[in-house]
Amino acid sequence: MAIKKSDLYSSLWASCDELRGGMDASQYKDYVLFMLFIKYISDKYGNSEDFAPPVVIPEGAGFQDMVALKGNSDIGNLINIQVIQPLIDANSRLGRSDFPDFNDSNKLGDGAAKVERIGNLIAIFESPALDFSKNRAENDDILGDAYEYLMRHFASQSGKSKGQFYTPSEVSRIIAKVIGISPDNSIAATTAYDPTCGSGSLLLKVAAEAGKHITLEGQEKDVTTAGLARMNMILHDFPTATIMSGGEGTLVKPRFLDGEQLRTYNYVVANPPFSDKTWSTGLALGEGGSGDRYQRFSWGVPPPKQGDYAYLLHIIRSLKSTGKGACILPHGVLFRGNAEAVIRQQLVRSGLLKTIIGLPANLFYGTGIPACILVLDKENATARNGIFMIDASKGFKKDGPKNRLREQDIHRIVDTFSRLDESDPRYARLVPVEEIADPKNDYNLNLPRYIDSSDPEDLQDIDGHLRGGIPERDLDALGNYWTVMPGLRAALFQPSNRPGYADLKLLITELKATIFSHPEFTAFTTEAQQLFADWRAATVPLLKALELGGHPKPLIEAIAEDLLAAFKDAPLLDAYDVYQHLMDYWAATLQDDAYLIAEAGWIAGTLPREIRQVKNKEGKLIWLEKEDFRQGKRRFKSDLVPAELLIARFFKAEQDTISDLDGLLASLQQELDEALEENSGEEGLLAEVIEGEGDKQKITAKAVKARLKVIGRDADYAEERQALFDYADFLTQQSEAKALLKAAQDDLDAKLLAKYPTLSEDEIKTLVVDDKWLASIAAAVQGELDRVSQTLTGRIRQLAERYETPLPKLIDDVYRLAARVEEHLKAMGAVWN
């Protein structure tokens, strides 16, 4: 049985994290990612018949050779000398610093503890699900996605100073898209460079956008992280990428040169260390950067303790005459003064700075400060007379302690950039150089100077509070609703007794019903539902066409783009919000299902599997997954077709019987609880049979039977005897109902197990596509329609309640109530002057 992608990733992480023990995540990641690397190259190239495979695996240096070492008392040393060293000797691109030391007792422990830890780590990667021999790198890259998953989790746990080896994949994707690389403008000789490449994720995202094997080059100061990057390139099927490392770093000793000059590239991307305080160590820079042999600082020398512009100037120098680049920098580069202000003025006047994209705070693992993407373009730079600014700082979701860009945030940024879309001036606008150069701005590029993305203030109207009436100004602010439903405003409001104010025509309690029943609102809802219905009709055949060996990623991309396009012009709805619902469902459910179908097919992916039981840390047996249904003591789950879908279509009568019995049991339990409550206490008729204390009190049939035997037919206990008989009757009914319920559940479970193997592929497709996938997405889209109506209703209710009672009436009410209180006090004899 194929394993779901989410199960694969989460089990990988959980297993690795549990084995980590006291080791820092930033160190343990080196061992885990090496295991992923050795497993991948062993699967992909271990039996290669190529004359010159990209990675050579010497005899005895593969993953299975590591498996054979499990339990060996010298396992750490043997991995070093029998596996890692031969790999290095056979592959010139690999170095010893690329790999961790498996014999390091400080990290892995001593003696038996080390042997066990390494053996357990190897065992994690023996899973049949981790077979990378057929990894589809160009389409559905399970390996690459697993690598990203592990890297993100390691980065999140590696602490403030150690998480910088990883650029969040969402930011990398934006950069790869805004530099403009695509299959149409790329060839093998197209070059991309990252001067501070970390683990290489940015370069790989650029390569993914190119859609082919372009030339990748990167430099990384930290030798261990450079090793990660080299492994990452091989894992993503880019074994020919060149990653250089060195203690001096790119600014002091750039490793990619053509003669005495910096090599230039078609595309340069970077996420350099923010505000590097040691960037100039080792550089002897004179006035105007005269000491720099690569002429990078002719616009000015950045401050010694702020290296951001140093990296940016290196990128500009590394671009070809028509090259394009993008760099992640802290927001401070947009407005800091002194030497940076001089450089920034030159940058603006050069025309090289095409776009600034402001990102949310707390996205990056090494820092919580907000950052921005500076997009550079040398092509037609001299004719460029403005900078396109995007303030995307408010689009994100919380993800543990960090913020994370959603799919809709990525899409909106890229769409706005590619179209130079200024339709929402609170999000983006093209700012002329003249405005930036104006003395009031003086080349300050801080986005709030040019884009006001703040939420409008909800102003209180003093005259409205004094004299009543809803300000027309507040109603006008709902203009997008009245444009779509012009008659609704007239149905809800009438002019007040003075200009500029309106009164609600109806009771506040009637608001929702009036809005929902208005023909214009009904027409709006119907139109939106029809948009979804049209998309659904076009999407069902595409989803049902997914087959064994298919490619889910292109499929979700296609249907998601169609959904976005379908709602692009829908009034009152944000198409990106609708799109996000689909992408959320993809991440939560649809992705796993689609990969299961692609790997196992519709029928095999539907057959129930027995849910595994494992021992937790305390040695107790626990179920590994949520129970779906059971037959006897065995529990089963169908990944594609949950039991409730099958029940809804084929076993409604059986489910109704179970629901009725559940209701009966609930009713009987209520009777028992009431009888217990009424007859408890020292003088209660059931006091003698109650066991336990407080909310744990209970009465058993055995205790009732024993008490009836004690009191016999004694007339003095007639009331107690009757109470005992009544309670015993309820217990008997409860026991009988439980037996019936168990029999009904067992019957339904047996029918379910018998039904699954008889389902045809067409039936499965209907259950999965119609009843599961699209029903869930339809409910989410309906939620967006509900949100529109709730927002309108809520705002009108708020305004109506705010100005419902003017101040004079409040004062009158106070006097009236005070007079009533005084009369009551007088009646009680309390009189004062």
Side-chain angles (χ1 to χ4, degrees):
M1 174 63 69
I3 189 169
K4 296 191 298 183
K5 287 186 78 172
S6 61
D7 287 347
L8 170 64
Y9 304 156
S10 59
S11 63
L12 257 180
W13 171 252
S15 301
C16 294
D17 198 42
E18 186 170 330
L19 286 179
R20 176 159 62 94
M23 198 189 312
D24 187 272
S26 64
Q27 297 174 331
Y28 191 59
K29 77 174 188 302
D30 301 336
Y31 293 95
V32 173
L33 296 174
F34 170 77
M35 293 304 306
L36 194 65
F37 173 75
I38 190 71
K39 182 67 169 70
Y40 171 73
I41 62 173
S42 298
D43 287 350
K44 190 168 181 68
Y45 303 117
N47 298 311
S48 175
E49 296 179 359
D50 292 350
F51 174 73
V55 181
V56 177
I57 303 175
E59 187 80 20
F63 177 75
Q64 288 304 319
D65 300 295
M66 292 183 69
V67 172
L69 292 173
K70 286 198 305 180
N72 190 303
S73 61
D74 196 28
I75 185 172
N77 180 53
L78 291 175
I79 289 175
N80 283 345
I81 63 175
Q82 293 183 11
V83 177
I84 294 178
Q85 193 57 50
L87 276 173
I88 295 167
D89 295 339
N91 297 276
S92 60
R93 290 177 181 270
L94 301 178
R96 185 64 190 90
S97 61
D98 295 352
F99 305 116
D101 179 2
F102 274 81
N103 206 32
D104 189 334
S105 298
N106 292 326
K107 296 177 182 177
L108 297 170
D110 284 312
K114 180 195 294 181
V115 174
E116 182 180 10
R117 176 175 281 185
I118 295 175
N120 289 338
L121 182 59
I122 293 171
I124 293 171
F125 291 86
E126 288 185 81
S127 166
L130 290 172
D131 179 4
F132 301 125
S133 58
K134 297 178 181 177
N135 183 53
R136 299 186 292 273
E138 73 283 1
N139 284 299
D140 303 319
D141 189 3
I142 287 182
L143 173 74
D145 291 346
Y147 183 87
E148 287 280 359
Y149 183 94
L150 290 172
M151 288 293 279
R152 178 161 54 84
H153 278 72
F154 277 126
S156 69
Q157 293 201 3
S158 292
K160 184 174 181 181
S161 63
K162 300 173 184 175
Q164 295 184 10
F165 57 81
Y166 176 68
T167 301
S169 61
E170 297 84 7
V171 181
S172 298
R173 284 166 55 195
I174 291 172
I175 286 179
K177 289 178 181 294
V178 298
I179 60 174
I181 193 169
S182 72
D184 295 334
N185 60 20
S186 302
I187 58 175
T190 299
T191 54
Y193 166 61
D194 185 340
T196 57
C197 70
S199 60
S201 58
L202 251 176
L203 279 175
L204 286 167
K205 287 295 188 293
V206 171
E209 285 297 312
K212 57 191 65 171
H213 277 71
I214 61 174
T215 300
L216 302 180
E217 294 182 342
Q219 183 167 342
E220 169 54 40
K221 183 176 182 179
D222 183 84
V223 292
T224 303
T225 305
L228 281 182
R230 278 186 278 270
M231 284 193 287
N232 199 5
M233 295 297 153
I234 294 171
L235 289 172
H236 284 80
D237 203 25
F238 273 84
T240 58
T242 303
I243 306 295
M244 305 290 282
S245 59
E248 302 92 340
T250 293
L251 296 179
V252 177
K253 189 175 181 180
R255 303 293 295 274
F256 294 97
L257 304 172
D258 285 331
E260 294 297 314
Q261 299 299 315
L262 292 179
R263 184 172 301 169
T264 56
Y265 299 85
N266 300 111
Y267 301 95
V268 181
V269 292
N271 178 18
F274 286 1
S275 302
D276 186 353
K277 293 180 172 28
T278 61
W279 73 271
S280 60
T281 303
L283 282 174
L285 299 175
E287 188 72 25
S290 59
D292 178 40
R293 59 191 295 190
Y294 306 112
Q295 298 90 45
R296 291 170 291 188
F297 306 116
S298 59
W299 288 351
V301 178
K305 301 296 185 183
Q306 300 280 6
D308 302 309
Y309 272 103
Y311 289 102
L312 187 68
L313 293 171
H314 176 87
I315 290 169
I316 291 172
R317 193 69 178 173
S318 300
L319 286 170
K320 291 182 180 295
S321 60
T322 58
K324 296 164 176 58
C327 183
I328 304 167
L329 292 173
H331 263 180
V333 302
L334 302 178
F335 54 79
R336 291 193 299 246
N338 301 320
E340 291 185 318
V342 174
I343 299 172
R344 186 167 55 246
Q345 178 174 340
Q346 295 290 333
L347 176 64
V348 171
R349 290 204 166 279
S350 71
L352 294 177
L353 182 56
K354 182 178 182 180
T355 300
I356 302 170
I357 302 170
L359 298 173
N362 205 24
L363 282 185
F364 298 91
Y365 294 102
T367 178
I369 65 174
C372 58
I373 300 173
L374 301 190
V375 184
L376 306 167
D377 190 352
K378 282 192 173 181
E379 190 170 13
N380 300 321
T382 55
R384 193 169 290 124
N385 194 35
I387 298 173
F388 192 57
M389 298 185 182
I390 301 173
D391 186 350
S393 59
K394 296 193 172 177
F396 62 89
K397 67 176 180 180
K398 294 295 295 180
D399 184 19
K402 306 303 291 183
N403 295 331
R404 194 173 176 191
L405 295 173
R406 300 164 295 179
E407 290 295 326
Q408 72 178 97
D409 303 320
I410 299 168
H411 212 303
R412 188 179 185 191
I413 289 170
V414 174
D415 285 351
T416 303
F417 170 85
S418 59
R419 300 167 186 163
L420 290 178
D421 184 358
E422 297 183 85
S423 60
D424 182 359
R426 297 177 64 244
Y427 185 75
R429 59 180 289 245
L430 181 61
V431 182
V433 170
E434 292 76 21
E435 183 177 347
I436 297 169
D438 188 284
K440 70 177 182 180
N441 292 318
D442 194 25
Y443 295 94
N444 186 316
L445 296 176
N446 200 19
L447 295 179
R449 283 179 174 261
Y450 308 98
I451 299 174
D452 182 7
S453 63
S454 60
D455 295 324
E457 187 177 357
D458 187 10
L459 299 173
Q460 300 281 339
D461 189 280
I462 301 300
D463 197 51
H465 282 297
L466 290 173
R467 302 165 64 188
I470 300 171
E472 293 278 7
R473 177 198 67 213
D474 288 327
L475 297 181
D476 292 341
L478 298 169
N480 55 337
Y481 289 94
W482 313 136
T483 300
V484 178
M485 298 172 271
L488 180 59
R489 181 171 182 171
L492 296 175
F493 301 101
Q494 61 188 9
S496 186
N497 55 10
R498 64 194 193 285
Y501 294 86
D503 293 326
L504 194 62
K505 279 185 176 181
L506 41 98
L507 297 174
I508 292 177
T509 54
E510 299 171 351
L511 257 177
K512 185 175 180 179
T514 303
I515 292 173
F516 275 53
S517 62
H518 195 276
E520 289 176 347
F521 183 83
T522 304
F524 155 72
T525 303
T526 302
E527 181 183 348
Q529 290 171 337
Q530 187 59 50
L531 290 174
F532 181 77
D534 293 343
W535 174 82
R536 179 173 184 154
T539 300
V540 166
L542 298 177
L543 291 173
K544 291 185 177 180
L546 180 62
E547 298 293 350
L548 187 69
H551 299 306
K553 275 188 178 176
L555 174 62
I556 184 61
E557 288 169 2
I559 65 173
E561 290 301 317
D562 289 346
L563 182 64
L564 186 63
F567 282 87
K568 199 68 176 175
D569 298 318
L572 301 180
L573 291 168
D574 187 331
Y576 291 104
D577 286 339
V578 177
Y579 167 85
Q580 185 62 39
H581 283 299
L582 173 57
M583 300 312 294
D584 285 344
Y585 187 68
W586 165 256
T589 301
L590 181 52
Q591 175 179 218
D592 281 336
D593 288 351
Y595 275 96
L596 192 58
I597 293 164
E599 188 169 346
W602 291 89
I603 291 177
T606 299
L607 294 176
R609 56 184 174 83
E610 192 169 354
I611 298 174
R612 289 181 292 152
Q613 204 176 33
V614 297
K615 288 185 179 180
N616 63 13
K617 292 180 179 179
E618 289 75 37
K620 181 181 177 182
L621 284 172
I622 58 171
W623 297 107
L624 198 63
E625 300 171 83
K626 183 181 177 183
E627 178 186 352
D628 197 5
F629 64 98
R630 71 171 79 192
Q631 177 69 6
K633 293 184 178 180
R634 299 166 69 192
R635 300 187 184 190
F636 296 91
K637 184 182 184 71
S638 170
D639 291 308
L640 273 185
V641 183
E644 60 266 22
L645 290 183
L646 213 58
I647 291 167
R649 277 220 172 238
F650 299 105
F651 302 110
K652 190 175 185 304
E654 288 85 347
Q655 185 59 50
D656 288 343
T657 299
I658 290 173
S659 297
D660 291 343
L661 287 168
D662 279 332
L664 175 60
L665 277 170
S667 176
L668 287 169
Q669 188 61 52
Q670 185 177 354
E671 297 277 7
L672 289 166
D673 291 341
E674 289 175 356
L676 176 62
E677 184 178 353
E678 291 170 4
N679 295 284
S680 59
E682 291 184 8
E683 302 298 324
L685 295 174
L686 299 176
E688 295 296 330
V689 292
I690 294 174
E691 302 172 1
E693 298 290 338
D695 59 358
K696 294 187 177 179
Q697 287 184 336
K698 66 176 181 177
I699 299 175
T700 64
K702 181 179 179 181
V704 172
K705 186 176 181 181
R707 180 61 181 168
L708 284 169
K709 187 175 181 180
V710 169
I711 64 177
R713 295 183 178 276
D714 192 325
D716 292 340
Y717 295 95
E719 283 188 77
E720 182 184 350
R721 185 165 46 252
Q722 187 58 50
L724 290 167
F725 276 134
D726 290 343
Y727 201 91
D729 184 48
F730 284 134
L731 287 174
T732 300
Q733 291 181 56
Q734 185 186 56
S735 179
E736 290 172 351
K738 285 181 177 179
L740 288 172
L741 178 61
K742 184 179 184 306
Q745 288 173 330
D746 289 344
D747 175 62
L748 178 56
D749 289 348
K751 287 179 178 178
L752 285 169
L753 274 174
K755 182 66 178 177
Y756 273 109
T758 69
L759 291 171
S760 69
E761 188 166 299
D762 285 342
E763 286 177 319
I764 292 170
K765 287 180 177 180
T766 298
L767 286 162
V768 174
V769 175
D770 296 302
D771 296 1
K772 183 182 180 183
W773 294 348
L774 289 173
S776 298
I777 299 165
V781 173
Q782 183 59 48
E784 280 300 304
L785 290 174
D786 294 342
R787 186 182 59 78
V788 168
S789 60
Q790 289 162 4
T791 301
L792 176 62
T793 305
R795 179 57 175 166
I796 294 175
R797 176 186 292 274
Q798 181 187 45
L799 292 171
E801 291 174 345
R802 178 181 293 174
Y803 300 108
E804 183 179 22
T805 309
L807 185 61
K809 186 176 185 305
L810 285 174
I811 294 172
D812 289 344
D813 288 345
V814 169
Y815 282 126
R816 178 173 52 80
L817 293 171
R820 287 178 61 186
V821 170
E822 188 171 345
E823 289 298 321
H824 283 301
L825 291 172
K826 284 181 180 179
M828 295 166 62
V831 181
W832 61 89
N833 293 328

